Amino acid sequence: MKLTIGFIVICATLYAGTANKCPEIADAIVDTPPEDGILGQVLKMLQARSDVDRRLLELHVELKEQLDEVGRNISLLQDRFKSDCVRPTPPSTEITQTTRKPKVPASCKKVPSNVSGVYLIHVGNIDAPFQVYCEMEKFGGGWLVVQHRFNGSVDFYRTWEQYREGFGDLNGEFWLGLEKMHQITKSRNHELIVEIKDFSGDYGHACYNGFRIGSER
C-alpha cells in the first residue's frame, strides 16, 4: 500500500511540474489514453490487486462457512457417539438367575438330582426335549426307564404304531417308545438292566452291556 501511494504522488508531482514548464508535454500526457500510459498501467495494477483482494475475501468467507459446517458435523457426531455409548443398566444377578432357562440335560446321567422321578431331557438326535422317568437311586443312579409295568393298570396289548410312539403314564405304567429308544441308542451301545418280581415277591435282575434298538426298517 505504501508503494502504491508513493507512486501516485510522484506521478502527480511530475504532472504538475510539466504543466507549468512544458504545456505541450502535459497536453500529450492528458490526451494519452489511460491504458497506453503509465497511469493506465497503474490503474490496471490497482484493478488487478482489487480483484485479487476481492477473491481472497470470497475464499476467506467460503472457508469460514465450510469450517463452521465441519464444526457442526463434529458436534453432531460427538453427541451421537455419547448417546450410543449410554447402555441400559444390566439386570441384577437375582433377576438374571430367576429368568434364565436352565440347560436341559442330555440324559438321566446328567440330571442334577438323586431322586427318582420324571425329568426333561434333550437327546441330540431328537429336535425337541421330552420327558422320561429316571431311576436315580438303584444301581448307582442315572438310569432311563424304558418300561414300567407292575399292576396291570395299562393295557400292553398294543399295535406296532403304539409301541413305536410309546404309551402309558410316566408316573405309573408306561412304555417309552421304540423310536425314542432308537434315537437314544443308535450313536453308541448302552447298558440295559431288566428287573423282574413275581406276585410272591421273588425278585431277580439281569444286566446287559451291549443294548441298542435299530431303526423301524
Side-chain angles (χ1 to χ4, degrees):
M1 181 62 69
K2 291 180 180 181
L3 177 61
T4 304
I5 293 174
F7 189 77
I8 293 174
V9 171
I10 292 172
C11 290
T13 303
L14 292 175
Y15 181 82
T18 54
N20 295 326
K21 296 181 180 180
C22 302
E24 66 279 4
I25 298 177
D27 294 338
I29 294 176
V30 172
D31 295 337
T32 302
E35 60 274 10
D36 296 335
I38 297 176
L39 184 59
Q41 295 179 2
V42 172
L43 292 176
K44 288 182 179 180
M45 292 174 60
L46 292 176
Q47 181 65 33
R49 177 63 183 270
S50 176
D51 293 340
V52 171
D53 291 340
R54 185 176 64 256
R55 183 53 183 161
L56 288 175
L57 180 60
E58 293 174 353
L59 292 175
H60 177 74
V61 173
E62 292 178 1
L63 180 60
K64 186 176 183 304
E65 293 177 351
Q66 292 178 1
L67 290 176
D68 292 341
E69 182 68 21
V70 171
R72 288 192 294 270
N73 292 335
I74 292 176
S75 299
L76 292 174
L77 290 175
Q78 288 176 343
D79 295 339
R80 184 176 299 177
F81 178 76
K82 290 179 181 179
S83 62
D84 291 341
C85 290
V86 177
R87 297 180 179 178
T89 304
S92 63
T93 305
E94 295 181 358
I95 296 177
T96 303
Q97 291 178 351
T98 55
T99 57
R100 183 182 300 169
K101 294 182 179 180
K103 184 178 180 180
V104 179
S107 66
C108 289
K109 205 74 173 178
K110 302 292 184 181
V111 171
S113 174
N114 56 3
V115 178
S116 299
V118 178
Y119 294 95
L120 190 70
I121 67 171
H122 189 188
V123 179
N125 299 322
I126 301 178
D127 294 335
F130 59 93
Q131 289 185 326
V132 296
Y133 189 94
C134 295
E135 173 57 57
M136 307 300 292
E137 300 164 19
K138 294 182 178 180
F139 305 104
W143 295 90
L144 189 156
V145 180
V146 298
Q147 174 180 304
H148 203 188
R149 187 180 186 187
F150 55 92
N151 60 11
S153 60
V154 174
D155 183 12
F156 273 73
Y157 289 93
R158 302 279 183 144
T159 64
W160 170 261
E161 288 76 14
Q162 290 173 316
Y163 267 93
R164 180 185 62 203
E165 301 302 327
F167 55 84
D169 183 4
L170 290 175
N171 291 305
E173 291 191 343
F174 68 88
W175 170 255
L176 180 63
L178 290 169
E179 181 59 31
K180 289 187 179 70
M181 295 165 65
H182 166 61
Q183 296 297 335
I184 292 170
T185 63
K186 73 176 186 177
S187 60
R188 59 182 177 85
N189 286 334
H190 285 65
E191 292 180 290
L192 174 68
I193 295 179
V194 179
E195 294 184 283
I196 299 177
K197 182 188 291 187
D198 62 18
F199 293 106
S200 300
D202 296 327
Y203 169 83
H205 72 275
C207 299
Y208 303 87
N209 59 10
F211 172 71
R212 182 169 60 186
I213 297 292
S215 65
E216 183 177 18
R217 183 179 60 188

